[in-house]
């Protein structure tokens, strides 16, 4: 099977990152870099989701997936409620898609609920949406359409 002949029914291209909820981003970055030995790639605050996040990469530059640490920016953040309810740990799995609107529409057609009516801004200028964990057997599934070109900052 050639890579050019991808099944059009296949929406998820690759694992983009694993999202891990943490109460204290600075302490978590310290643990993930100094103890686990991952490399900090990027930090940014996302006011749309009221979270502060850090992307960390493993040694192999070919590794597709990276770790995203997410901490609530305030008590009103949905992530704050997640931490209260569930505690720190794996919070979502993110898949890369070519077109987040198409992926969302297709999943709606297949009977799944999306968290947002239209895509929201994600890390590094990406556009994202989430499939509701109640429709995936408990996994909050993020759909990531990467930005065409790297954004500034
Ligand atoms: Co994410």
């Amino acid at each position: 099977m050639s890579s050019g002949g991808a099944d059009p029914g296949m929406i998820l291209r690759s694992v983009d990152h694993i999202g891990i909820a943490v109460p204290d981003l600075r302490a978590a970055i310290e643990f993930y870099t100094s103890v686990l030995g991952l490399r900090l790639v990027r930090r940014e605050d996302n006011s749309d989701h009221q979270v502060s996040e850090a992307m960390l990469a493993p040694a192999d530059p070919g590794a597709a997936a990276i770790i995203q640490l997410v901490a609530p920016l305030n008590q009103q953040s949905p992530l704050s409620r997640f931490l209260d309810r569930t505690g720190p740990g794996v919070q979502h799995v993110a898949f890369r898609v070519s077109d987040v609107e198409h992926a969302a529409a297709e999943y709606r057609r297949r009977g799944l609920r999306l968290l947002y009516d239209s895509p929201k801004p994600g890390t590094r200028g990406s556009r994202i949406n989430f499939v509701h964990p109640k429709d995936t057997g408990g996994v909050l599934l993020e759909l990531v359409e990467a930005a065409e070109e790297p954004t500034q900052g």
Side-chain angles (χ1 to χ4, degrees), residues 17 68 92 94 142:
H17 62 268
Q68 179 184 55
H92 65 272
E142 181 179 354

Side-chain angles (χ1 to χ4, degrees), residues 49-112:
H49 306 282
Q50 299 169 69
V51 296
S52 191
E53 57 191 50
M55 305 301 276
L56 298 108
D60 182 352
I66 54 178
I67 296 293
Q68 179 184 55
L69 302 174
V70 279
L73 276 173
N74 54 53
Q75 279 301 311
Q76 286 70 52
S77 170
L79 192 68
S80 220
R81 294 198 293 277
F82 176 89
L83 284 166
D84 288 344
R85 206 170 52 239
T86 315
V90 173
Q91 196 253 350
H92 65 272
V93 177
F95 285 92
R96 191 72 68 94
V97 298
S98 303
D99 177 338
V100 69
E101 265 143 347
H102 171 265
E106 183 59 26
Y107 282 141
R108 276 192 201 98
R109 198 180 64 76
R110 297 180 189 183
L112 307 181

Side-chain angles (χ1 to χ4, degrees), residues 1 5-11:
M1 195 188 283
D7 179 346
M10 295 199 70
I11 294 166

Side-chain angles (χ1 to χ4, degrees), residues 14-31:
S14 60
V15 174
D16 189 87
H17 62 268
I18 310 292
I20 297 173
V22 301
D24 180 338
L25 190 64
R26 211 143 63 124
I29 290 171
E30 178 63 21
F31 175 76

